Amino acid sequence: MTLIASFKWRQTYFAFGDTLVTTPKKTYEDTPIPTRDLPNETEQLDGSGLWVAGLARKVFTIGPHIVFGWSGPMANFEKALRYLYAAPLDKPLSLEDLKTILNKAGLPTDRASAWFVNAFICDGGLAGFSHNMQKIAQEKDGVISVAGSGAQTFREILDLDSAAETDGLTVFKRTLATQARLLLGQQRQGHHLDHAFGGAFEFIGSANHSFVNLDRVLIVFRDYWDVGEQNDVRKDVDNVSRVGNTFSKIDAAYYMSHIDDTLVVGRWFPGSHKMFAAPRPFDDQLPSLGETSWCGVDQVLEVLTHYTGNRSSVFDRIPDEYDFEVIGEATRVTLPMSLPVDLESALREHIGQEA
């Protein structure tokens, strides 16, 4: 199962999805997922009857004008996706021509499968088709739909009670922060993997009547504790720095970008770095990670978590001090190792507001 979401809210469109693929038997036992540095990461699903099979894109574009999202048994989608990949979808179609192609594709209509298709058609409008998607918010200006085993958790963390009074850009930022919190849960305790969603998360937005991937995103996870709590923290914690009244250390950083139709995920720990490539389902062409056009950083989220794990705060950052680059066959992550002064101030202000 999975987590996919389609947002059409007050002139803003974006799609959101996870990448975790699970199977009912241990068929890909050595394929890692970018959440925990374990020799065999399928151990996280013990007792659930599911095994980690690896990563695959759950929301992706088919040509520049169609975005597709799927949930359920992957085999149910093979015939339809191979048909759509081969179809002439490189330019906007009329609504009737699009309906004809989707009907010929034979998308699954069983109870275990869910999917959505959103497309810019030739009159400039945005058309939508779906199966088994659950509407979690709706008003005259838009609708938010979700599917998959992670839908309920996602809805609870996102907190859509005030969505009707919220503009699309704010909903987008809240969803991006929710993605970081979901990934944090996996990074620390393997949370959500028992519900078979996660691995990595990605976004697709829209611009100029076409769909675009949200690329070059860096998420940095830091632990922090107050000066008055320093005696409560384990004495063997290393790489600790102090700024103001806050001690902190970097736990991990995750990077997400795309090369053509492949999602690239970088997972960095102090002293360790791994790369993962997640293609579209049934798309056999993998690009070379040695290309550099996908590198760099355009979007940064800093996730600051109290050392007890009881609370976390997500902050947008200007990417001037952050970078992700490929040098030959190696990668390098650049980020401020100490907590920036302005971020420490923002954290203290946020804690004060919560109190």
Side-chain angles (χ1 to χ4, degrees):
M1 297 298 287
T2 190
L3 169 60
I4 57 174
S6 174
F7 291 70
K8 291 183 286 185
W9 201 257
R10 300 190 176 184
Q11 312 306 314
T12 300
Y13 173 87
F14 61 94
F16 166 71
D18 79 318
T19 60
L20 187 70
V21 177
T22 57
T23 57
K25 57 183 179 179
K26 196 172 181 179
T27 54
Y28 301 99
E29 60 186 33
D30 294 321
T31 301
I33 59 174
T35 51
R36 307 266 291 193
D37 196 13
L38 300 176
N40 182 343
E41 292 174 328
T42 60
E43 294 171 7
Q44 296 173 77
L45 296 181
D46 279 356
S48 69
L50 296 172
W51 302 96
V52 171
L55 304 181
R57 299 186 67 188
K58 304 289 184 62
V59 294
F60 47 86
T61 55
I62 303 176
H65 308 291
I66 292 179
V67 63
F68 183 87
W70 69 275
S71 169
M74 185 185 289
N76 292 358
F77 291 86
E78 179 173 4
K79 180 180 177 182
L81 286 177
R82 291 192 184 280
Y83 180 89
L84 292 174
Y85 294 158
L89 300 176
D90 57 341
K91 61 182 181 180
L93 303 174
S94 68
L95 182 59
E96 291 305 315
D97 286 343
L98 178 59
K99 287 181 178 178
T100 298
I101 288 177
L102 293 178
N103 286 335
K104 288 183 177 179
L107 288 163
T109 56
D110 60 291
R111 295 180 63 182
S113 302
W115 52 266
F116 68 84
V117 174
N118 286 307
F120 285 106
I121 54 180
C122 56
D123 66 359
L126 182 62
F129 308 86
S130 66
H131 172 69
N132 274 350
M133 298 292 294
Q134 177 188 4
K135 295 177 181 178
I136 59 174
Q138 185 172 11
E139 57 145 49
K140 62 183 179 66
D141 290 327
V143 61
I144 300 174
S145 300
V146 299
S149 56
Q152 183 62 33
T153 300
F154 171 67
R155 180 179 182 177
E156 292 171 356
I157 297 177
L158 184 60
D159 184 15
L160 285 168
D161 291 342
S162 60
E165 291 77 41
T166 305
D167 61 71
L169 180 60
T170 301
V171 171
F172 171 76
K173 289 184 176 181
R174 284 168 58 183
T175 307
L176 195 61
T178 299
Q179 170 221 217
R181 286 192 169 94
L182 290 170
L183 191 56
L184 172 66
Q186 287 187 194
Q187 163 66 23
R188 296 297 171 82
Q189 293 92 18
H191 287 175
H192 318 305
L193 292 178
D194 54 341
H195 297 296
F197 76 94
F201 299 88
E202 63 176 320
F203 285 82
I204 295 175
S206 64
N208 301 319
H209 298 288
S210 62
F211 296 107
V212 293
N213 296 313
L214 181 63
D215 283 339
R216 297 152 60 102
V217 179
L218 183 67
I219 304 176
V220 180
F221 296 102
R222 297 182 196 260
D223 288 336
Y224 73 89
W225 54 96
D226 188 82
V227 168
E229 300 170 316
Q230 56 186 310
N231 293 327
D232 301 328
V233 179
R234 286 174 46 184
K235 304 305 180 185
D236 59 347
V237 175
D238 54 9
N239 298 317
V240 174
S241 60
R242 176 181 174 177
V243 175
N245 291 318
T246 306
F247 287 99
S248 67
K249 71 178 295 291
I250 292 179
D251 183 66
Y254 287 77
Y255 180 80
M256 288 159 285
S257 192
H258 294 82
I259 305 176
D260 300 327
D261 291 319
T262 296
L263 171 69
V264 178
V265 179
R267 178 180 66 182
W268 177 88
F269 299 97
S272 174
H273 185 264
K274 293 184 178 181
M275 297 293 298
F276 305 82
R280 301 183 305 186
F282 314 110
D283 192 345
D284 303 324
Q285 296 184 357
L286 281 176
S288 168
L289 296 182
E291 300 176 16
T292 58
S293 60
W294 54 276
C295 298
V297 172
D298 294 333
Q299 175 82 42
V300 179
L301 296 177
E302 284 263 12
V303 183
L304 300 178
T305 305
H306 191 254
Y307 80 100
T308 60
N310 291 331
R311 62 177 183 264
S312 63
S313 306
V314 182
F315 298 91
D316 282 319
R317 300 294 294 162
I318 298 173
D320 293 351
E321 296 182 82
Y322 303 80
D323 197 12
F324 185 98
E325 56 188 327
V326 173
I327 304 173
E329 296 183 358
T331 58
R332 182 170 66 186
V333 180
T334 301
L335 69 169
M337 298 302 293
S338 298
L339 190 66
V341 173
D342 65 322
L343 185 53
E344 197 263 351
S345 299
L347 173 66
R348 289 296 172 180
E349 180 180 353
H350 180 71
I351 293 173
Q353 291 173 350
E354 286 189 334

